[in-house]
Amino acid sequence: MAVEAFQDTKRAKKLIKDKNLSFVFLEDEKIGDEKVYQKYSISAFPTNFIFGKDGRLISYHLGYGRHTKDEIKEEILKGLNEQK
Amino acid sequence: MKKYFLFLFIFLLFCSKHVLETKYQMLRISIKNSKTSEKKAKLIKNFLKNHYASDYTYDLAMELIDYEKTKDYENFINWLINKTKKEETKNDLKYCLIEFYKRNKNKEKILEVFNSFSKPLNYYNYSETIKALIEVEDFENTFKLLEEVKKFCQKDYIDKEYEKLSEERRNRTYKRRNFEFEFLKAKAFLGLKEYEKSLNSFEEVKKFLKPSFLGTYLDDFNYYYAMLLKEMGKEREAISAILPDVIYEKNEKNYGLFEKIYQEIYGSKDGIEEFLKTKKEEISPLKIDFTLKDYDGKKFNFFDLSKNKVTLLVFWFPT
């Protein structure tokens, strides 16, 4: 699930189409006095959160480095195995 | 004809920026490949000599402190300051000097740099100096400057200074500055071992900014707060204060303090990793619900969608 923070609709749409991405893509907007990314105190993009089945944070990644992809994969698998 | 020259000029400007970026990338590789500090220092100095006022000046001058620990650093930066005409770059370089003197515990020199800032002084001239003065334990001057910097934190002052910015951004500046102001006070009182006063200031700090989703505050708030609680004999509270930073911002400074407090409570380091693991499960934040639309206008609720599932939530924007 991906929340796009700055409502750059045109470019976001193109990217999703070009790369054939199958996430649920949502556009951020103000709920009350804050956008969703502000509620999650995001300070850098992209930020990835991985939540377990119980809704608790397993880990998070600020930015995107060389190992981020593998780490995320590993953590998701761990989350799936741990909480059956 | 004039038009063409203008285009050419803009084109050349564009190229020169591009070239500089490439040069910088090459510098980064060279630094990585050099083994000694001397070689690294030499590379950085050569770059700065050729481009003394670029976007990279501040970062490189700061980095140079790690490699050049002698008086040469001082001389070199002062040479750069004289060379550049940009007031902004001069200021940036002076912050580097302050950092250098801070590490060398040279109180007098810090004040000397402070007095050399062009007048009228701005908020950052003060805040950067005060941070350094606290580190070198010159509390007398710390409190003197804190008294002077107060006016920069007032709402009407900020409204005037940032007239052109939106209300929202002015508000953020207001909160950020007051957070920092009280935090500096708290740290100074902690240094003076006036623990009750320090605690009061820490309480004030919390009024200006909420902790992040992860339970961490700006800067190293949790670190110093935990340090105060430890000094006051409240080890258990201290350990809770530092935990989010130890778990989510794994650095040596946070972990070092955590280890110390843990040893004070439990007598040794035994079981420390197990303790962290259990605590992580206890304090890890719960997801926050929201409903947003996708690009076709269809609504999605986060909780409904992710119920009993391992979920990857990404915040992004197209670049």
Side-chain angles (χ1 to χ4, degrees):
Chain A
M1 190 157 178
V3 178
E4 184 240 319
F6 301 127
Q7 286 153 306
D8 190 351
T9 315
K10 220 169 143 189
R11 284 204 291 166
K13 269 181 160 174
K14 188 175 180 316
L15 206 86
I16 297 162
K17 210 179 142 197
D18 288 355
K19 303 261 173 193
N20 205 6
L21 301 169
S22 59
F23 269 75
V24 176
F25 279 95
L26 304 173
E27 210 174 7
D28 208 352
E29 57 181 273
K30 268 193 179 177
I31 299 177
D33 56 351
E34 281 177 325
K35 284 189 170 183
V36 175
Y37 86 88
Q38 288 163 327
K39 284 189 207 282
Y40 277 88
S41 344
I42 305 294
S43 61
F45 293 92
T47 293
N48 293 282
F49 291 109
I50 298 160
F51 292 100
K53 287 180 186 171
D54 58 356
R56 289 196 176 281
L57 185 70
I58 295 177
S59 87
Y60 86 109
H61 297 269
L62 268 187
Y64 199 88
R66 258 187 305 157
H67 305 296
T68 313
K69 191 175 157 189
D70 293 335
E71 281 168 13
I72 289 176
K73 212 167 156 184
E74 202 175 292
E75 283 153 5
I76 291 177
L77 287 174
K78 218 173 124 194
L80 285 170
N81 286 331
E82 263 176 18
Q83 307 165 331
K84 270 181 184 159
Chain B
M1 200 59 193
K2 248 185 194 170
K3 236 181 191 174
Y4 284 115
F5 276 119
L6 190 67
F7 277 135
L8 192 68
F9 180 69
I10 292 172
F11 179 70
L12 285 174
L13 212 69
F14 176 77
C15 284
S16 72
K17 205 169 167 158
H18 206 71
V19 169
L20 189 63
E21 207 182 303
T22 316
K23 277 188 185 169
Y24 178 74
Q25 292 308 335
M26 279 162 69
L27 173 72
R28 288 258 61 100
I29 295 167
S30 312
I31 293 175
K32 213 173 156 188
N33 290 334
S34 326
K35 287 191 179 74
T36 62
S37 294
E38 282 147 19
K39 274 188 194 154
K40 290 180 188 188
K42 207 174 163 192
L43 285 166
I44 293 179
K45 278 174 151 181
N46 271 335
F47 186 93
L48 287 174
K49 265 183 203 163
N50 293 321
H51 317 279
Y52 42 79
S54 75
D55 291 349
Y56 308 112
T57 305
Y58 174 77
D59 288 341
L60 285 175
M62 271 292 178
E63 193 181 341
L64 187 59
I65 305 178
D66 294 335
Y67 311 130
E68 182 89 87
K69 294 190 166 64
T70 59
K71 216 176 147 45
D72 291 345
Y73 183 82
E74 210 179 326
N75 294 336
F76 181 69
I77 298 295
N78 277 320
W79 179 82
L80 277 180
I81 291 174
N82 285 328
K83 199 89 180 160
T84 176
K85 287 186 180 67
K86 274 196 204 160
E87 209 49 57
E88 213 185 307
T89 312
K90 278 184 200 279
N91 266 347
D92 281 348
L93 289 167
K94 283 175 186 176
Y95 294 141
C96 297
L97 274 182
I98 288 183
E99 177 67 24
F100 177 74
Y101 295 133
K102 183 186 102 184
R103 292 196 203 178
N104 291 308
K105 303 270 173 210
N106 196 333
K107 298 177 198 179
E108 287 77 23
K109 284 281 187 178
I110 293 172
L111 286 171
E112 207 176 279
V113 179
F114 175 71
N115 288 323
S116 79
F117 282 124
S118 65
K119 315 285 181 296
L121 297 171
N122 64 36
Y123 173 76
Y124 301 100
N125 298 150
Y126 277 101
S127 64
E128 290 304 310
T129 309
I130 296 171
K131 276 180 208 166
L133 287 174
I134 291 174
E135 294 283 324
V136 299
E137 299 180 355
D138 180 352
F139 298 116
E140 198 187 322
N141 283 308
T142 297
F143 280 103
K144 205 177 118 201
L145 295 192
L146 274 172
E147 202 50 52
E148 289 174 31
V149 83
K150 237 186 202 165
K151 72 164 189 211
F152 294 95
C153 305
Q154 255 127 41
K155 190 79 179 71
D156 33 338
Y157 186 93
I158 292 165
D159 282 346
K160 220 169 149 189
E161 186 181 347
Y162 293 111
E163 229 170 6
K164 288 187 183 131
L165 294 183
S166 66
E167 172 83 28
E168 189 191 337
R169 289 189 59 186
R170 289 202 302 261
N171 247 330
R172 266 173 62 180
T173 308
Y174 171 74
K175 283 183 188 165
R176 179 71 171 94
R177 277 192 191 176
N178 279 280
F179 176 93
E180 199 171 68
F181 173 73
E182 286 296 338
F183 184 36
L184 288 170
K185 246 166 84 179
K187 277 206 269 188
F189 280 128
L190 175 60
L192 284 172
K193 298 195 183 344
E194 295 203 38
Y195 300 135
E196 285 301 327
K197 281 187 184 165
S198 180
L199 191 63
N200 277 339
S201 285
F202 271 114
E203 292 306 322
E204 284 297 314
V205 176
K206 287 187 193 169
K207 285 184 193 164
F208 289 104
L209 281 178
K210 301 183 294 185
S212 78
F213 172 64
L214 300 168
T216 52
Y217 281 91
L218 272 183
D219 302 336
D220 32 18
F221 174 93
N222 282 354
Y223 175 86
Y224 284 98
Y225 189 48
M227 191 127 100
L228 170 71
L229 292 169
K230 175 180 164 279
E231 295 301 327
M232 293 178 90
K234 299 176 182 172
E235 280 91 3
R236 277 171 203 276
E237 283 175 52
I239 219 161
S240 322
I242 194 83
L243 266 175
D245 289 51
V246 176
I247 292 171
Y248 295 112
E249 325 249 331
K250 305 141 194 151
N251 68 41
E252 272 172 43
K253 193 175 156 194
N254 290 328
Y255 195 83
L257 181 63
F258 165 72
E259 218 172 46
K260 255 192 214 161
I261 305 172
Y262 184 90
Q263 274 175 295
E264 264 178 42
I265 302 177
Y266 299 103
S268 76
K269 281 190 222 169
D270 293 346
I272 194 164
E273 288 306 321
E274 198 52 40
F275 176 85
L276 263 184
K277 219 180 137 195
T278 327
K279 282 291 169 192
K280 188 183 171 186
E281 275 162 33
E282 270 173 45
I283 70 158
S284 40
L286 285 163
K287 54 192 181 191
I288 308 169
D289 198 17
F290 58 83
T291 302
L292 287 172
K293 283 181 243 160
D294 71 359
Y295 295 106
D296 301 321
K298 195 176 161 205
K299 276 188 181 180
F300 286 91
N301 176 264
F302 181 43
F303 273 16
D304 287 347
L305 215 65
S306 63
K307 204 175 171 189
N308 291 325
K309 284 180 186 155
V310 177
T311 314
L312 174 64
L313 176 65
V314 183
F315 288 90
W316 74 296
F317 66 90
T319 48

